[in-house]
Amino acid sequence: MVERQLRGRGILDETVLAVMASLPRELFVPPGLQSVAYSDEALPIAAGQSISQPYMVARMTELLEPGPGMHVLEVGTGSGYQAAVLARLGCVVVSVERHADLAGVARVRLDELGLADRVRIVVGDGSVGRPEDAPFGGILVTAAAPWIPDALSGQLADGGRMVVPVGSTRHQELTLVVRRGDTFETHDCGACVFVPLVGEAGFGETALPHHLWPGRLSL
Ligand code: SAH
């Protein structure tokens, strides 16, 4: 996975590559999919959601430029895999998930990996961020937003970086936002497809009929 899917496609950050090489991804996929845990695709998890394709996790992580002690907000805990990658990179993570059942399963996995003190999981609408925990050095939104959520931009520290897929429910542009004082630089970083962000700054509950979401879409 690391050599072909990540390094082979231009992921350069050796620390990110090392963490993804050592983190057991099979612990984060449902029983029955363990044999394809390292394949080049997103995989379905409970509640109609997905664990992102390994390349997309690596790309988003690299764009965030994480480092030890960085305070990071993740929106969309899902399986907990992305949060585990950030924690193993030394980040202190607050991860928000709207599905309590997914949050519960992710909590157990992260505890078992000894990452309890690095990742706090909160059940709720992460599209409005976590003002009580702001500012953040990094914000990673792992679901598709219709626009750059203002509330999240406002919770970035000066110099902070946010990575968020922005677009329709079917296609998005991976977008990097960098805060410089009161100015927000944006950079387009390539096409992607994520499950919808649902909530106040996201799409409505009925954004994408479940039968239209392919679930195993390769990004
Ligand atoms: N980062 C995850 C992948 C997440 S898939 C991983 O590594 O496995 C996107 C997740 O975002 C889903 O679990 C979905 O339930 C969640 N989500 C969607 N809208 C949300 C919102 N407004 N607040 C919090 N979580 C949300």
Side-chain angles (χ1 to χ4, degrees):
M1 174 187 93
V2 167
E3 290 311 313
R4 273 196 226 142
Q5 300 173 36
L6 307 187
R7 202 189 298 277
R9 290 206 192 111
I11 301 296
L12 299 173
D13 188 323
E14 290 298 334
T15 326
V16 173
L17 293 168
V19 162
M20 288 186 65
S22 67
L23 186 66
R25 188 169 156 92
E26 66 276 13
L27 297 184
F28 294 86
V29 303
L33 290 180
Q34 266 128 13
S35 63
V36 289
Y38 295 86
S39 65
D40 190 14
E41 59 190 337
L43 294 171
I45 57 173
Q49 305 303 317
S50 64
I51 172 172
S52 305
Q53 178 199 30
Y55 172 75
M56 195 49 68
V57 173
R59 179 82 178 119
M60 293 181 89
T61 307
E62 192 175 60
L63 286 169
L64 201 68
E65 296 183 356
M70 188 187 205
H71 189 211
V72 177
L73 173 69
E74 180 190 28
V75 179
T77 314
S79 69
Y81 180 72
Q82 174 74 71
V85 169
L86 292 169
R88 285 260 177 109
L89 286 163
C91 299
V92 179
V93 184
V94 179
S95 184
V96 187
E97 171 55 56
R98 62 187 286 268
H99 285 292
D101 48 348
L102 290 177
V105 174
R107 175 76 279 153
V108 171
R109 285 177 183 143
L110 292 164
D111 290 353
E112 282 171 2
L113 285 165
L115 299 172
D117 56 341
R118 294 262 179 87
V119 184
R120 186 150 50 94
I121 298 179
V122 178
V123 176
D125 177 7
S127 74
V128 293
R130 285 282 297 172
E132 56 274 67
D133 294 314
F136 299 98
I139 300 179
L140 248 180
V141 184
T142 65
W147 53 78
I148 296 172
D150 279 349
L152 297 184
S153 304
Q155 289 170 33
L156 279 175
D158 196 9
R161 300 164 74 84
M162 169 160 69
V163 183
V164 51
V166 179
S168 70
T169 52
R170 289 167 180 279
H171 301 282
Q172 306 96 37
E173 182 72 26
L174 192 62
T175 307
L176 170 67
V177 180
V178 184
R179 179 169 198 169
R180 308 237 180 258
D182 289 333
T183 315
F184 296 87
E185 285 169 17
T186 62
H187 306 265
D188 289 348
C189 302
C192 57
V193 183
F194 280 79
V195 293
L197 180 72
V198 176
E200 200 173 314
F203 295 96
E205 289 283 345
T206 54
L208 185 60
H210 189 253
H211 68 278
L212 290 179
W213 167 242
R216 299 184 59 130
L217 202 74
S218 191
L219 302 178

